[in-house]
Amino acid sequence: MFIETVTVPTLLLYVLLHTAGLAWGLGAVIGWCALTLGVRRLFGQRLPGTLLLCAGMLCGRAALALVMSSALVYVLQPVFGSALMALLFLGSAAIGRPVTIRLARDFVTLPAHLFHHHGVRRMFTQVAIVWGVSRAIDAGMSLGLLHWGLDAGLLSRGLFSGLLTALTIGVCAAWGVRALRRMPGVTLRLKPAV
C-alpha cells in the first residue's frame, strides 16, 4: 500500500516535474490513484479503508496543487496532514478512545470482545501515542527539509516519511505482540486455530 500511495506518486511527480512540467506531474499522480483503485476493483480485491483514505487525500492534494499551480502546495499539505494526524492520535489516546483500534481492524482480524479488555485498550492507547509522536516528527522533518528546497521536500515525503512510517509500523507491531503475550487471559496466536 505504501508503494501505491506514496512511493510511485512521488516518483511520478518528481520525474515529470523536471521533464514535462507541474501539470503533467500532478495529472500523473491523480491518474495513478485512479489506476490503482481501478485495477484492485477490476480484479475483485478488497479496497481497505486506509487505501481509500490515502488515495483520496493524495488526489485531493494533487488537485489543489494543480488548481493553485504550485508544487509547494502539494508538499506542504502532508506536513499539515501529519500535524493533524499527530493531534488525532494523541487526542484519541488522551480521551481513552484510541483511533488505533479502528485502524487495526483494517489489518488484522481480532475477536470483538478483545477490544473491551482493559489491557488491550491500554496497548492500543500506547500505540496511538507512538503514532502521534511519529507523525509530529514527520511534520517537523518535512518542514525542516523544505527549507532546503522543493526537491528535498519531495525526498522527505517520498523516502524519509516512508522510512519513518515503516519504522513506526515495526515498533508498534512488536510492542503490540509483546504486550498481548504478557497479558493474563489473552492468548495470541499468529495462525488461526485448527
Side-chain angles (χ1 to χ4, degrees):
M1 207 173 343
F2 176 76
I3 291 170
E4 291 173 329
T5 60
V6 177
T7 306
V8 171
T10 301
L11 286 173
L12 283 170
L13 179 61
Y14 181 81
V15 169
L16 291 173
L17 182 65
H18 291 292
T19 58
L22 178 64
W24 284 103
L26 293 170
V29 168
I30 294 169
W32 173 258
C33 288
L35 178 68
T36 300
L37 295 176
V39 166
R40 279 182 174 251
R41 183 72 147 195
L42 181 67
F43 289 107
Q45 294 179 346
R46 183 176 158 272
L47 295 173
T50 49
L51 176 64
L52 293 172
L53 179 66
C54 288
M57 288 175 17
L58 189 63
C59 284
R61 86 180 213 232
L64 182 62
L66 194 56
V67 167
M68 297 184 78
S69 297
S70 171
L72 184 61
V73 169
Y74 181 85
V75 178
L76 270 179
Q77 285 176 346
V79 173
F80 294 118
S82 288
L84 286 174
M85 292 300 283
L87 288 173
L88 173 70
F89 280 107
L90 294 171
S92 72
I95 64 170
R97 296 179 52 102
V99 70
T100 47
I101 289 176
R102 286 187 169 207
L103 294 174
R105 291 179 176 151
D106 275 350
F107 297 101
V108 293
T109 303
L110 296 170
H113 72 275
L114 192 62
F115 293 107
H116 300 292
H117 187 283
H118 176 70
V120 172
R121 291 188 71 77
R122 184 176 61 240
M123 182 270 302
F124 277 112
T125 300
Q126 292 165 343
V127 168
I129 292 168
V130 171
W131 271 106
V133 169
S134 168
R135 296 304 84 205
I137 291 169
D138 183 50
M141 175 182 61
S142 294
L143 269 179
L145 285 173
L146 262 174
H147 284 290
W148 290 344
L150 184 62
D151 287 346
L154 283 171
L155 179 65
S156 169
R157 297 311 313 160
L159 177 64
F160 299 138
S161 286
L163 291 173
L164 178 61
T165 299
L167 177 65
T168 306
I169 289 169
V171 166
C172 289
W175 185 285
V177 167
R178 181 179 171 268
L180 289 174
R181 283 190 172 150
R182 299 176 95 189
M183 270 179 225
V186 176
T187 303
L188 177 67
R189 287 190 196 110
L190 297 180
K191 292 188 219 177
V194 179

